[in-house]
Amino acid sequence: LNQSLRQAVIEHAAAGGGVGGLSSLEAAVAARGGNADEVLARVRTGGWSDAEAGGGGNRAEELRSELRTSEAQCEMLQASLARARDADVQAAESLQAKLDAARNELQAGLRESS
C-alpha cells in the first residue's frame, strides 16, 4: 500500500501538481485506499524515508525469499500430483483388468449352464 501511495504522489508531482492541486492527490490516494490526510502531511514535509516506503531492500529480499520458497513448494506439489495421477492410472488399469476377467468368467459360466 505504501508503494501504491508513493506512486500516487510521484504521479501527482509529475503531472505538475502543486499545493493548489493537492485535492487531486487526495482523491488519488483515497481511490487507492490510503489515508489522504497522512499522505498530504508527508508531501508537505518532504515525503517518505526509504524505511517507511516499504522496508527498502530488506523487504524486497524477504519477498524474493518467500517467492523462492513458494516456487519450490509448488514444484514439489506438482511432482506429488504427477505421482498420484500415475498411481491412479495404474490402479484404474488393474481394476479394469480384474473387471474384464470377472466378466469373462461370468460369461463362461452362463454358457456352461445353458
Side-chain angles (χ1 to χ4, degrees), residues 31-49:
R32 293 180 183 194
N35 181 339
D37 293 332
E38 180 183 334
V39 172
L40 291 174
R42 290 188 184 260
V43 168
R44 288 184 185 111
T45 61
W48 286 268
S49 71

Side-chain angles (χ1 to χ4, degrees), residues 14-78:
V19 175
L22 288 179
S23 61
S24 64
L25 175 60
E26 184 177 8
V29 168
R32 293 180 183 194
N35 181 339
D37 293 332
E38 180 183 334
V39 172
L40 291 174
R42 290 188 184 260
V43 168
R44 288 184 185 111
T45 61
W48 286 268
S49 71
D50 286 341
E52 292 172 320
N58 290 337
R59 179 67 178 143
E61 187 54 41
E62 285 177 26
L63 291 172
R64 283 187 198 98
S65 175
E66 191 175 316
L67 176 61
R68 285 189 295 270
T69 301
S70 295
E71 287 173 340
Q73 184 179 16
C74 182
E75 288 175 12
M76 289 185 333
L77 290 171
Q78 286 176 335

